[in-house]
Amino acid sequence: MKSKHKCPADRNSPTRQSPVTSPNSPPNVITQYSSTADPLRVSVENCQPVISDGQFVLYWMLAQRRVTDHFGLERAVEWARKLHRPLLILESVTLVYDYASPRQHMFLLQGMADNASRLRGKPVTYYPFVERIPGERGDLLRALATLACVVVVDDFPMAMHRDLIRDAARDFPCKLEAVDSCGLLPLRAAEITFPTAFAFRRYLQRTFRAHLNTFPAHDPLKHAKLPALKLPEQLRAVWPPAQPERLLAERGWMRNLPLLHSVEPAAMSGGSTAAEHTLTAFLTRKLSHYADDRNDPDMDWSSGLSPYLHFGHLSVHRIFRDLVKQEDWSEGKLSTSVAGKKEGWWGMSRNAESFLDELITWREIGYNFTHLREDYKDYSSLPPWALKTLAEHCGDKRDWRYSRAEFEQAATHDPLWNAAQMQLRTEGRIHNYLRMLWGKKILEWSTSPEAALEVMIELNDKWALDGRDPNSYSGILWCLGRYDRPWFPERPIFGQVRYMSSANTARKVNVKGYIARNGGDRFL
Ligand SMILES: Cc1cc2nc3c(=O)[nH]c(=O)nc-3n(C[C@H](O)[C@H](O)[C@H](O)COP(=O)(O)OP(=O)(O)OC[C@H]3O[C@@H](n4cnc5c(N)ncnc54)[C@H](O)[C@@H]3O)c2cc1C
C-alpha cells in the first residue's frame, strides 16, 4: 500500500472528539468518528490543526467536478456548519497536466460553467480559476490555505493528484483532508489487488452490501445555512476569478497558452448537464441493447459516460441510483452467492447486469490497482506469465512495423485500425470494442511490447477525453495481459497474450460504415 505519514489525533474534528486510528486500519483512516462521513472515505493528509478563527472552509474541487452526489462537498459543508464559517469552493483549470490541450481545457470549462450556474444563489462562494501562467494555481491555493480553517480536497488515485495533495499537505498551515468519491467501493475498502475480474467480482459480491448504506446525499447544499463570504479584494486582483461562459464564447485567449494546439476541442460537451442528458439517453434508449449489441461499432449502444466519470461531472452513485430506479430494484434482490458470476448476482435485467459489470467490476478494479500500486502504468506491473511470454516472443518477426508518428497519423495498412485512431483524434474517444483491437494491433506492429505500451499511453492520454484515468492504464495494460489469463495456441509476438485481429472483428460486426465515417480508408 502507498504510505502516507500518520497524524496524531486531532482535537478539532467537527464533533470535537478525537478521531481514532485503529492499529489494524490503513494509515490515516479515521475509524471512530461521529460524523456523517464514511470513515473509509476520509483521509487526514497532514498534522496541522483546524484553525478555529480562520475565515472560511475551503473545498478544493480537484477531481470530482460537480455539486451533487458528492462525498467531498458533503464533508466540506459539514465542516462549514460545525465551524459556522462560509464555504469557499475552488475549481481550477491548470496548464500543468499531461498533454494539456484545448480539448481538455474546453471540456473542463464547460463543466465549470455548469457548476457556476448550479451554485448561483446557493449559500457558498464559487471561485473558478483558469491559469494564465503555469503554476499560478499553486500560489493561489497557498494564499487561500493561509486564510482557511480547514481544506477538503478530492482523493484520486493518480500520481498527479497524489503529488499535488502531498505538496499541499506539506505547505498548508491548516488541516487537509482528502475525501474519496471515486467509486461505489471506497478506495480503502480492499487492501489487496486482484489478478482477474473474476476474483474482484467475488470480493465485490462478499462486500458490496455494506456500501449500499453509505451513498452521498443527492444535494449536499440543500439544507445548508452558511454565512456569506466576500473574497478579499487583494486575492481577486492577483488571481481574478474566471468567467467560464465568456471564456467558452471567445476562445482566442487560449491561443498563446502553452497547450498542444493540435488537439482541438471535440464535439462532445463537458459538464454535469451534458452528463445527465447522456445518462438519461442511455437509460431510456440504449440500455435495452447493451448486453447483445454494444460491440457493434455502427450502432454505438454503450453509454458514452467515461469522460464525465473521469472528470467527475457525474458520479457513479448517481448512475447506480438512476439505474436501480428504472429497474425497480431493491437490495433484497441481491443474490447471496459469492461465486464471482457475471450474471444473476444483482437480480436486475440482463442488460442492467451487463452494464454494471463494466461500470463497477471493470471500472473499480482499475481504481483498486491504481490506488494500491505506484507502478500502475509500468510495464513491469504486468503479471509474471505475461512478462515471460512477451519476452519469449519479443524477437519474433513483425510483418508490419510503425513509428509513433505513423500510429498517431493513422497511417497504417489497416483501414479499421486507422478508422479507430481517426475517431480518437477527432472525437476524443474510440468505440468500446475497437479500443481493444486498437491496443492489440499496436502491440503487434511495434518493435517491442515496451514500445507498444509507450505509444498506447501517449496516444490515449493525449487524444482521449477520458484519458489519464485509472481505467486508461487498466485498459491499455489489459491489451498486454493484465487481468487476463494465458491463451492457447501461442501466437507470434503475442505469445500467450490474447490475440485480436481486424479480420475476425469484421466477421463478427459490421465495420464498413464505421471505416467510411471515420476516414479509415483514406490512404488506401
Ligand atoms: C486500450 C484501451 C484503453 C482504454 N482507455 C480508457 C480510458 O482512457 N479511460 C476510460 O475510462 N476507459 C478506458 N478504457 C476502458 C473502456 O474502453 C472505456 O471505459 C469504455 O469504452 C468507455 O465507453 P462507455 O462510457 O461508452 O462505456 P460503457 O460500456 O457504457 O460502460 C460504462 C462505464 O463503465 C466503465 N467501463 C466500461 N468498460 C470498461 C473497461 N473495459 N475497463 C474499465 N472500465 C470500463 C467506464 O467507466 C464506462 O464509462 C480503455 C480500454 C482499452 C482496451
Side-chain angles (χ1 to χ4, degrees), residues 290 294 302-306 309 355 358-359 362-363 432 435-436 438 460 466-467 469 471-472 475-476 479:
Y290 191 84
R294 75 172 186 284
S302 67
S303 70
L305 289 171
S306 56
L309 283 164
F355 177 64
E358 302 298 334
L359 182 74
W362 281 102
R363 179 171 178 273
N432 220 352
R435 207 166 190 174
M436 298 186 258
W438 176 86
N460 194 72
D466 62 7
D469 188 86
N471 286 318
S472 311
I476 287 169
C479 296

Side-chain angles (χ1 to χ4, degrees), residues 282-311:
F282 172 69
L283 293 178
T284 52
R285 294 204 298 274
K286 294 178 163 188
L287 179 66
S288 54
H289 300 271
Y290 191 84
D292 292 328
D293 299 327
R294 75 172 186 284
N295 288 340
D296 182 344
D298 255 358
M299 299 312 294
D300 216 359
W301 294 119
S302 67
S303 70
L305 289 171
S306 56
Y308 301 117
L309 283 164
H310 169 66
F311 287 110

Side-chain angles (χ1 to χ4, degrees), residues 103-124:
R103 177 168 295 177
Q104 311 286 347
H105 255 55
M106 277 295 120
F107 203 83
L108 286 163
L109 275 169
Q110 285 153 347
M112 268 187 167
D114 272 2
N115 288 338
S117 116
R118 287 173 180 217
L119 289 171
R120 219 161 278 142
K122 300 275 184 184
V124 297

Side-chain angles (χ1 to χ4, degrees), residues 174-331:
C174 63
K175 179 176 183 130
L176 175 68
E177 283 184 352
V179 178
D180 160 22
S181 306
C182 292
L184 287 178
L185 286 182
L187 291 170
R188 291 174 192 78
E191 294 180 21
I192 53 162
T193 58
F194 300 85
T196 59
F198 174 76
F200 186 62
R201 235 177 255 120
R202 289 190 61 172
Y203 168 79
L204 201 74
Q205 293 174 355
R206 280 201 309 276
T207 58
F208 184 72
R209 267 189 189 79
H211 302 290
L212 271 174
N213 299 325
T214 56
F215 268 46
H218 171 61
D219 179 0
L221 293 168
K222 196 168 177 189
H223 301 295
K225 288 197 179 73
L226 301 175
L229 171 72
K230 192 169 176 330
L231 265 186
E233 271 315 313
Q234 209 191 340
L235 277 177
R236 301 175 64 93
V238 182
W239 297 285
Q243 293 176 290
E245 289 290 0
R246 229 190 69 208
L247 296 178
L248 285 168
E250 310 157 10
R251 298 185 182 183
W253 59 275
M254 268 192 304
R255 225 170 276 137
N256 297 324
L257 294 181
L259 298 173
L260 283 173
H261 290 279
S262 56
V263 185
E264 293 173 359
M268 186 175 190
S269 279
S272 298
T273 304
E276 287 161 11
H277 287 152
T278 306
L279 173 61
T280 306
F282 172 69
L283 293 178
T284 52
R285 294 204 298 274
K286 294 178 163 188
L287 179 66
S288 54
H289 300 271
Y290 191 84
D292 292 328
D293 299 327
R294 75 172 186 284
N295 288 340
D296 182 344
D298 255 358
M299 299 312 294
D300 216 359
W301 294 119
S302 67
S303 70
L305 289 171
S306 56
Y308 301 117
L309 283 164
H310 169 66
F311 287 110
H313 291 161
L314 187 69
S315 85
V316 68
H317 290 89
R318 166 71 187 270
I319 302 175
F320 187 80
R321 251 190 206 142
D322 285 11
L323 177 70
V324 302
K325 196 165 165 209
Q326 177 162 312
E327 290 279 310
D328 196 19
W329 179 87
S330 60
E331 195 184 331

